[in-house]
Each structure stands twice: as C-alpha cells, then as structure tokens.
Amino acid sequence: MYKPNGFENVSDQMLSTLNVMWKITLFLSCLPVALVYTYDYFDIKLIPPIVTISASISLIVVVLVIMRGWGRKLSPSYRRMIKAIELTKSPKTEEDGKRVLRLFDFEFSYWKVDFDARRVQSNERMGKDVGVKKGRHHFRWTTFPCQIIAYLGIQTFGIRMAYPGCLKLLENYMRPILVTGRAKLIAETNAQRFKIQTLDCNEIDTIFVNNRGKSMNGEILIICSEGNASFYEIGIMTTPLSLKYSVLGWNHPGFGCSTGKPFPEQEKHAIDAVVQFAICRLGFLVNEIVLYGFGIGGFSSLWAATCYPAVRGVILDAAFDDVLYLAQLRLPQCLSGIVRLAIRSYCNLHNAELVQKYPGPISLIRRTEDEIIANDKKIKTNRVNFLAISILKYRYPNIFQIPQINRCTKQLAKPLLNRILTIAEDNLCMSSLINYVSVHGKKSPFGIGEDYTEEQRDRMADFLLRRHMRDFKSTHCTWLPAELFKLPWNIPSMNAPNSTETVDKDASNNLLH
C-alpha cells in the first residue's frame, strides 16, 4: 500500500475536493445560466469579479499541483514506479517493467494495453451477433416529443439510474476503497491486473487470479460480471475465490477505471473482449469457462453465453427477466410510456428473450428477501421467478404446459425449502432425461414429455425447477456463501464415468408406464 507524504497527501485531497466541486458546479450550472438569460440579469460589471475568482482558483490549482509533484519526488516508492515506467519504453525491458508496475496502482489511462480484441478473433465465437435487438418503433410526428424525451432521459439520468456505478461522484467516493480492494487481491491471491481494449475502443479494467495447479477447481475459470453498483475490487469474486477457482473479474464500461458508458452495445463489446482475453491470452478452453453474473451483470453473462454456447455453464444470481418491469416499478406511472420507449430503444436488457439463444447449463439463485428485483420484498414478485418459468417453458414445452406452469408459479410464491420428490423419483426423472438426450441430443427445445400423463409432467416439472434454481435467504447486496455456489446442473451422458447422477437405463420405463 502506497503511503503519500504530507505534501502529496494534503495537495491531493484538496485537488480531489476541487474536482468534485467543479463537477457539481457544471452539473448545476444550467439553472442559473437559464435564469440569467431569461430575465436578462447579466451585467458587464460581473465580468471582472468572475475573472478574478477564476484566476485565483487556477493559481491555487497550480500551487497544489506543484506541491503534489514535490511530494512525489521525495517519495522512494514513487521514484521506483517512475523507473519501472522507463523500463517499459524499451522493447528489451518492457516485460520487466510491466512486472514491476503491477505492484503499483496509478492512473489507468497510463497503463499500456495488454490485450486488444480488435487484433484477435477466437474461432470459438459464433460468427453472428445474436444479441437482443432494439425495439422497433415506427416514426410518427405525434410521438416525436416522447422520443426526444426518452432519448435525453436515457442519455442523462436514465443510464445512471440503471448503472449507478458509473456516477463520477460515486467513483470519487469509492476510489480509496477500490484501491484497497485491488491491493488486497494482489497481496493475498497473487492477482494480476490487465487492460483490455474492446472493438469499440473502450478500455476495460480486469483482474485475474490464477489457481491452476493449486486445486482441482483451479482448472475452471469463473468470469464474474458485477451488479449495477459494484466493482470487481469489492464484488462477487470473493465467493469463487474462496473455493479456489481461477477467477477473472472486470468492471463495466464507465465503472472504476474502465472507460465508456454501460449502454448495451458497449456492454456486449466489453464482455466479448473479456472472454476473448480468457481464451487467447490466458489459455482457457471455452468448456472450462463458467459465466457468473450478479443482478444486471446477468445480461452480460447471458450475451456472452449466446456468443460462446460451448461454455461450461451460466450462473445468474439475483437476476431478472426484463429490466423494463423494474424501471416502471420505480418511476411514476404517468411516465410509463416514455420509460417503455426509452428502455426498448436504448437499454433493452431482456434476459428472458436472450436466454432462449443459449442451450447450455444454467443455474438461477433467488434471494428470498430481495428488495431490488422484488416489489416490497414479496417473494412472489421476485423477477427471478419469471425468468425461471420462461427458461423451463422454452426448453421443455411438452412438460411445462399451463397446469405445470401454474403449479410452479404457486411453488415459487414461497421459499423452495421442502423437497417434494423422493430419491427414487429423482432417479426416474434423471434416467428419463439421460435416455432422451442419448437419442436426440441436447438441442433445445427438448421434445421429451409429449406422451406423459399430467402426473408425470408434474413430477418432471418439480424436478427440473429444483435443478435449475436455488434459494438464498438474504437481501440483494449480500455476498453469496461458498456452499451455495455450485456449477450449473447438466444432464449427464449415458456413459458418464463415476457420475453420481447416472442411473439404471431401464428405470425410465417406470416413469413412462
């Protein structure tokens, strides 16, 4: 941890304070300027005082910068960092310089790019963009004012309400905490920090903890996508790290030291570059990667899964089906139409639609006391419920018909604590699924259940619901305990060696007859 001396500490704090005051002034300046212009309050006599105040503040800033520079010159640690920067300027000593620089925390804009997604394209990626399309809205003069309001709203406060972590005031407040968090990761887990450049030229701040060769779990990489006000320095990486997985964390565009803004297109480019980095630079196979998304980070994880369908699985913690419902819930009802227009046109985070394009293993974690994605902490209004139903209904259409959907909806209205199926019934359901995929493969949607009775559909629906979803008695902003972090369930192969879930092939006949 770098400890600045008195000169640097005082001047840096004062400069940070002036910077915050300047941003607040710019944000609030529109109101007085409008009043002066409207009521013609401007007087030429005001110019000299304004110039005097501006010159005085500028002089103070210059003096503080000189003080900070002098303080840094006296610091042995700072001088060592400057020497390391000099090493990176020569091709012969560049790697040595980077190795030393990773021990320091400095302005990320001066960090050299470690991986440029524009120069590489993994063969594992699907060749087409399968992301959620923007809503189509035919232009009409009658709705033109609403379209203007929707655009201005999403570009100003809208995107910041959806992703408060990109607020500069929050960043300034969180900076000491983030620096401490990065230092802790580097000191305790030997983490390495990298700068990744995306296809749209954003710079994404990432950190990698390599546990390969240290544990069996270390051969699997967990890529963590944080929530709307969280950062990798203090976020969900903690849980997989405690289980000795290899972990790759990244900050959304506009979060922490990452550049850009977290609009969907920039989010897509960011997570795509992160996965490319994991494959091409870190050397992980696609089927060794698990995408772990928390809250709004579930959208990024799901989109990456649609581009790399061979990933080992997706874990969604406290996710939602469609951000539109959450936005309308927290804004006045009179703005419902404008909110819908803004979300569908510029921030269409529709996980229920996106998940249909990913056929692989997926696991949902529901927080039973969630106050963010549920209305008044009512478990039956938790948006994970709707996401779970949409996944199961799409993947198993012959099993999840109207009676089974109603049955599961009732079950989801309360905690999933009591086990409904016996072990024998579990085995019957599992063997039936194994036999089906051995013949037809794992292509979604599955055709299994077409000739089932209502009782058999109910039994299979209960089984599938609990295989795809787990409950955690907690509010939204709580770290997931290690015992609840499990790799997504997958239907095992018929010849899976030592599989605890492989059962007698003939047992499925008892389920069907």
Side-chain angles (χ1 to χ4, degrees), residues 291-343:
L291 299 164
Y292 176 29
F294 177 80
I296 210 166
F299 172 80
S300 304
S301 296
L302 278 176
W303 190 83
T306 62
C307 293
Y308 302 87
V311 293
R312 194 181 185 97
V314 176
I315 302 174
L316 301 180
D317 185 359
F320 52 82
D321 58 333
D322 187 352
V323 76
L324 175 63
Y325 300 117
L326 298 177
Q328 290 180 330
L329 184 65
R330 283 159 178 77
L331 291 171
Q333 186 65 30
C334 60
L335 298 177
S336 178
I338 294 177
V339 171
R340 173 178 288 274
L341 184 60
I343 293 295

Coordinates of all heavy atoms in Angstrom, one line a residue, residues 291-343:
L291 N -19.7 -18.6 -16.7 CA -20.1 -17.1 -16.7 C -21.0 -16.9 -15.5 O -22.0 -17.5 -15.4 CB -20.8 -16.8 -18.0 CG -19.9 -16.9 -19.2 CD1 -20.8 -16.9 -20.5 CD2 -18.8 -15.9 -19.3
Y292 N -20.5 -16.1 -14.5 CA -21.2 -15.8 -13.3 C -21.6 -14.3 -13.3 O -20.8 -13.4 -13.2 CB -20.3 -16.1 -12.1 CG -20.8 -15.8 -10.7 CD1 -22.2 -15.8 -10.4 CD2 -19.9 -15.5 -9.7 CE1 -22.6 -15.6 -9.2 CE2 -20.4 -15.2 -8.4 CZ -21.7 -15.3 -8.2 OH -22.2 -15.0 -6.9
G293 N -22.9 -14.1 -13.3 CA -23.5 -12.7 -13.4 C -24.4 -12.4 -12.2 O -25.2 -13.2 -11.8
F294 N -24.1 -11.3 -11.6 CA -25.0 -10.8 -10.5 C -25.8 -9.6 -10.9 O -25.3 -8.7 -11.4 CB -24.1 -10.4 -9.3 CG -24.9 -9.9 -8.1 CD1 -25.5 -10.8 -7.2 CD2 -25.0 -8.5 -7.9 CE1 -26.2 -10.3 -6.2 CE2 -25.7 -8.0 -6.8 CZ -26.3 -8.9 -5.9
G295 N -27.1 -9.7 -10.6 CA -28.0 -8.6 -10.9 C -28.0 -8.2 -12.4 O -28.2 -9.1 -13.2
I296 N -27.7 -7.0 -12.7 CA -27.7 -6.5 -14.0 C -26.6 -7.1 -14.8 O -26.6 -7.2 -16.1 CB -27.7 -5.0 -14.1 CG1 -28.4 -4.4 -15.3 CG2 -26.2 -4.5 -14.0 CD1 -28.6 -3.0 -15.3
G297 N -25.5 -7.7 -14.1 CA -24.4 -8.4 -14.8 C -24.9 -9.7 -15.4 O -24.2 -10.2 -16.3
G298 N -26.1 -10.1 -15.1 CA -26.6 -11.3 -15.8 C -26.8 -11.1 -17.2 O -26.7 -12.1 -18.0
F299 N -27.1 -9.9 -17.7 CA -27.3 -9.6 -19.1 C -26.0 -9.8 -19.8 O -26.0 -10.5 -20.9 CB -27.8 -8.2 -19.3 CG -27.8 -7.8 -20.7 CD1 -28.8 -8.1 -21.6 CD2 -26.8 -7.0 -21.3 CE1 -28.8 -7.8 -22.9 CE2 -26.8 -6.6 -22.6 CZ -27.8 -7.0 -23.4
S300 N -24.9 -9.3 -19.3 CA -23.6 -9.5 -19.9 C -23.2 -11.0 -20.0 O -22.7 -11.4 -21.0 CB -22.5 -8.7 -19.1 OG -22.9 -7.4 -19.0
S301 N -23.5 -11.7 -18.9 CA -23.1 -13.1 -18.9 C -23.9 -13.9 -19.9 O -23.4 -14.8 -20.6 CB -23.4 -13.7 -17.5 OG -22.5 -13.1 -16.5
L302 N -25.2 -13.6 -20.0 CA -26.1 -14.3 -20.9 C -25.7 -14.0 -22.4 O -25.7 -14.9 -23.2 CB -27.5 -13.9 -20.7 CG -28.3 -14.7 -19.6 CD1 -29.7 -14.2 -19.4 CD2 -28.3 -16.2 -19.9
W303 N -25.4 -12.7 -22.6 CA -25.0 -12.4 -24.0 C -23.7 -13.1 -24.4 O -23.6 -13.6 -25.5 CB -24.8 -10.9 -24.2 CG -24.7 -10.5 -25.6 CD1 -25.7 -10.3 -26.5 CD2 -23.5 -10.4 -26.3 NE1 -25.1 -10.0 -27.8 CE2 -23.8 -10.1 -27.7 CE3 -22.1 -10.4 -26.0 CZ2 -22.8 -9.8 -28.6 CZ3 -21.1 -10.2 -26.9 CH2 -21.5 -9.9 -28.3
A304 N -22.7 -13.2 -23.5 CA -21.5 -13.9 -23.8 C -21.8 -15.4 -24.0 O -21.2 -16.0 -24.9 CB -20.5 -13.7 -22.6
A305 N -22.8 -15.9 -23.3 CA -23.1 -17.3 -23.5 C -23.7 -17.6 -24.8 O -23.5 -18.7 -25.4 CB -24.1 -17.8 -22.4
T306 N -24.5 -16.6 -25.4 CA -25.0 -16.8 -26.7 C -24.0 -16.8 -27.8 O -24.1 -17.4 -28.8 CB -26.1 -15.7 -27.0 OG1 -25.5 -14.4 -27.0 CG2 -27.2 -15.8 -26.0
C307 N -22.9 -16.0 -27.5 CA -21.8 -16.0 -28.5 C -20.8 -17.2 -28.3 O -20.2 -17.5 -29.3 CB -21.0 -14.7 -28.3 SG -21.9 -13.2 -28.7
Y308 N -20.8 -17.7 -27.1 CA -19.9 -18.8 -26.9 C -20.7 -20.0 -26.2 O -20.6 -20.2 -25.0 CB -18.7 -18.4 -25.9 CG -17.9 -17.3 -26.5 CD1 -18.2 -16.0 -26.2 CD2 -16.8 -17.6 -27.3 CE1 -17.5 -14.9 -26.7 CE2 -16.0 -16.5 -27.8 CZ -16.3 -15.2 -27.5 OH -15.6 -14.2 -28.0
P309 N -21.6 -20.6 -27.0 CA -22.5 -21.6 -26.4 C -21.9 -22.8 -25.8 O -22.5 -23.6 -25.1 CB -23.4 -21.9 -27.6 CG -22.6 -21.6 -28.8 CD -21.7 -20.5 -28.5
A310 N -20.6 -23.0 -26.1 CA -19.9 -24.2 -25.6 C -19.3 -24.0 -24.2 O -18.7 -24.8 -23.6 CB -18.7 -24.6 -26.5
V311 N -19.6 -22.8 -23.5 CA -19.1 -22.6 -22.2 C -19.7 -23.6 -21.2 O -20.7 -24.2 -21.5 CB -19.5 -21.2 -21.7 CG1 -18.7 -20.1 -22.4 CG2 -21.0 -20.9 -21.7
R312 N -19.0 -23.8 -20.1 CA -19.4 -24.9 -19.2 C -20.7 -24.6 -18.5 O -21.5 -25.5 -18.2 CB -18.3 -25.0 -18.1 CG -18.4 -26.3 -17.3 CD -17.3 -26.3 -16.2 NE -17.4 -27.6 -15.5 CZ -16.6 -28.6 -15.7 NH1 -15.7 -28.5 -16.8 NH2 -16.6 -29.7 -15.0
G313 N -21.1 -23.3 -18.4 CA -22.4 -23.0 -17.8 C -22.5 -21.5 -17.5 O -21.6 -20.8 -17.6
V314 N -23.7 -21.1 -17.1 CA -24.0 -19.8 -16.6 C -24.7 -19.8 -15.3 O -25.6 -20.6 -15.1 CB -25.0 -19.1 -17.7 CG1 -25.3 -17.7 -17.2 CG2 -24.3 -19.0 -19.0
I315 N -24.2 -19.0 -14.4 CA -24.8 -18.8 -13.0 C -25.3 -17.4 -12.9 O -24.6 -16.4 -13.1 CB -23.8 -19.1 -11.9 CG1 -23.2 -20.5 -12.1 CG2 -24.5 -18.9 -10.6 CD1 -22.1 -20.8 -11.1
L316 N -26.6 -17.3 -12.7 CA -27.3 -16.0 -12.5 C -27.8 -15.8 -11.1 O -28.6 -16.5 -10.7 CB -28.4 -15.8 -13.5 CG -28.1 -16.0 -15.0 CD1 -29.3 -15.8 -15.9 CD2 -27.0 -15.0 -15.4
D317 N -27.2 -14.8 -10.4 CA -27.6 -14.5 -9.0 C -28.4 -13.2 -9.0 O -27.9 -12.2 -9.4 CB -26.3 -14.4 -8.2 CG -26.5 -14.3 -6.7 OD1 -27.7 -14.2 -6.3 OD2 -25.6 -14.2 -5.9
A318 N -29.6 -13.3 -8.4 CA -30.4 -12.1 -8.2 C -30.7 -11.4 -9.6 O -30.6 -10.2 -9.7 CB -29.8 -11.1 -7.2
A319 N -30.9 -12.2 -10.6 CA -31.1 -11.7 -11.9 C -32.6 -11.3 -12.1 O -33.4 -11.4 -11.3 CB -30.7 -12.7 -13.0
F320 N -33.0 -10.9 -13.4 CA -34.3 -10.5 -13.7 C -34.6 -11.0 -15.1 O -33.7 -11.4 -15.9 CB -34.5 -9.0 -13.6 CG -33.5 -8.2 -14.4 CD1 -33.6 -8.0 -15.7 CD2 -32.4 -7.7 -13.7 CE1 -32.7 -7.3 -16.4 CE2 -31.4 -7.0 -14.4 CZ -31.6 -6.8 -15.8
D321 N -35.9 -11.0 -15.5 CA -36.3 -11.4 -16.8 C -36.3 -10.2 -17.8 O -35.9 -10.4 -18.9 CB -37.7 -12.0 -16.8 CG -38.7 -11.1 -16.2 OD1 -38.4 -10.2 -15.4 OD2 -39.9 -11.2 -16.6
D322 N -36.7 -9.0 -17.4 CA -36.8 -7.9 -18.2 C -36.6 -6.6 -17.4 O -37.4 -6.4 -16.5 CB -38.1 -7.9 -19.0 CG -38.2 -6.8 -20.0 OD1 -37.3 -6.0 -20.1 OD2 -39.2 -6.8 -20.8
V323 N -35.7 -5.8 -17.7 CA -35.4 -4.6 -16.9 C -36.6 -3.6 -17.0 O -36.7 -2.7 -16.1 CB -34.1 -4.0 -17.3 CG1 -34.2 -3.2 -18.6 CG2 -33.5 -3.0 -16.2
L324 N -37.4 -3.7 -18.0 CA -38.5 -2.8 -18.2 C -39.4 -2.8 -17.0 O -39.8 -1.7 -16.5 CB -39.3 -3.1 -19.4 CG -40.6 -2.3 -19.7 CD1 -40.2 -0.8 -19.9 CD2 -41.3 -2.8 -20.9
Y325 N -39.7 -4.0 -16.4 CA -40.7 -4.1 -15.3 C -40.1 -3.4 -14.1 O -40.8 -2.8 -13.3 CB -41.0 -5.5 -15.0 CG -41.7 -6.2 -16.2 CD1 -41.1 -7.3 -16.8 CD2 -42.9 -5.8 -16.7 CE1 -41.7 -7.9 -17.9 CE2 -43.5 -6.4 -17.8 CZ -42.9 -7.4 -18.4 OH -43.5 -8.0 -19.5
L326 N -38.7 -3.5 -13.9 CA -38.1 -2.9 -12.7 C -38.1 -1.4 -12.9 O -38.3 -0.7 -11.9 CB -36.7 -3.4 -12.6 CG -36.5 -4.9 -12.3 CD1 -35.1 -5.3 -12.3 CD2 -37.2 -5.3 -11.0
A327 N -37.9 -0.9 -14.1 CA -37.8 0.5 -14.3 C -39.2 1.2 -14.1 O -39.3 2.2 -13.5 CB -37.3 0.8 -15.7
Q328 N -40.2 0.5 -14.6 CA -41.6 1.0 -14.5 C -42.0 1.0 -13.0 O -42.8 1.8 -12.6 CB -42.6 0.2 -15.3 CG -42.4 0.5 -16.8 CD -43.4 -0.3 -17.7 OE1 -43.8 -1.4 -17.3 NE2 -43.7 0.3 -18.8
L329 N -41.5 0.0 -12.3 CA -41.9 -0.1 -10.8 C -41.4 1.1 -10.0 O -42.0 1.5 -9.0 CB -41.4 -1.4 -10.3 CG -41.7 -1.8 -8.9 CD1 -43.2 -2.0 -8.7 CD2 -41.0 -3.0 -8.4
R330 N -40.2 1.6 -10.4 CA -39.6 2.7 -9.6 C -39.8 4.1 -10.1 O -39.2 5.0 -9.6 CB -38.1 2.3 -9.5 CG -37.9 1.2 -8.5 CD -36.5 0.5 -8.7 NE -36.4 -0.5 -7.7 CZ -37.0 -1.7 -7.7 NH1 -37.8 -2.0 -8.7 NH2 -36.8 -2.6 -6.7
L331 N -40.5 4.2 -11.2 CA -40.7 5.6 -11.8 C -42.2 5.8 -11.8 O -43.0 4.9 -11.8 CB -40.2 5.7 -13.2 CG -38.6 5.7 -13.3 CD1 -38.2 5.5 -14.7 CD2 -38.0 6.9 -12.6
P332 N -42.6 7.1 -11.8 CA -44.1 7.4 -11.8 C -44.8 6.8 -12.9 O -44.3 6.6 -14.0 CB -44.1 9.0 -11.9 CG -42.7 9.4 -11.4 CD -41.8 8.3 -11.8
Q333 N -46.1 6.4 -12.6 CA -46.9 5.7 -13.5 C -47.2 6.5 -14.8 O -47.3 6.0 -15.9 CB -48.2 5.2 -12.9 CG -49.1 4.4 -13.7 CD -48.5 3.0 -14.0 OE1 -47.7 2.5 -13.2 NE2 -48.9 2.4 -15.2
C334 N -47.2 7.8 -14.6 CA -47.5 8.7 -15.7 C -46.4 8.7 -16.7 O -46.6 9.1 -17.9 CB -47.8 10.1 -15.2 SG -46.4 10.9 -14.3
L335 N -45.2 8.2 -16.4 CA -44.1 8.2 -17.3 C -43.9 6.8 -17.9 O -42.9 6.5 -18.6 CB -42.8 8.6 -16.6 CG -42.7 10.0 -16.0 CD1 -41.4 10.2 -15.3 CD2 -42.9 11.0 -17.1
S336 N -44.9 5.9 -17.7 CA -44.7 4.5 -18.1 C -44.5 4.4 -19.6 O -43.6 3.6 -20.0 CB -46.0 3.7 -17.8 OG -45.9 2.4 -18.2
G337 N -45.2 5.2 -20.5 CA -45.0 5.1 -21.9 C -43.6 5.5 -22.3 O -43.0 4.9 -23.2
I338 N -43.1 6.6 -21.8 CA -41.8 7.1 -22.1 C -40.7 6.2 -21.6 O -39.7 5.9 -22.3 CB -41.6 8.5 -21.5 CG1 -42.5 9.5 -22.2 CG2 -40.2 9.0 -21.6 CD1 -42.5 10.9 -21.6
V339 N -40.9 5.6 -20.4 CA -40.0 4.6 -19.9 C -39.9 3.4 -20.8 O -38.8 2.9 -21.1 CB -40.4 4.2 -18.5 CG1 -39.5 3.0 -18.0 CG2 -40.2 5.3 -17.5
R340 N -41.0 2.9 -21.3 CA -41.0 1.8 -22.2 C -40.3 2.1 -23.5 O -39.5 1.3 -24.0 CB -42.4 1.4 -22.5 CG -42.6 0.3 -23.6 CD -44.0 -0.1 -23.8 NE -44.5 -0.9 -22.7 CZ -44.4 -2.2 -22.6 NH1 -43.7 -2.9 -23.6 NH2 -44.9 -2.8 -21.6
L341 N -40.5 3.3 -24.0 CA -39.9 3.7 -25.2 C -38.4 3.8 -25.0 O -37.6 3.4 -25.9 CB -40.4 5.1 -25.7 CG -40.0 5.7 -27.0 CD1 -40.3 4.7 -28.2 CD2 -40.6 7.0 -27.3
A342 N -37.9 4.4 -23.9 CA -36.5 4.6 -23.6 C -35.8 3.2 -23.5 O -34.7 3.0 -24.0 CB -36.3 5.4 -22.4
I343 N -36.4 2.3 -22.7 CA -35.8 1.0 -22.4 C -35.7 0.2 -23.7 O -34.7 -0.4 -24.1 CB -36.6 0.2 -21.4 CG1 -36.5 0.9 -20.0 CG2 -36.2 -1.2 -21.3 CD1 -35.1 0.9 -19.4

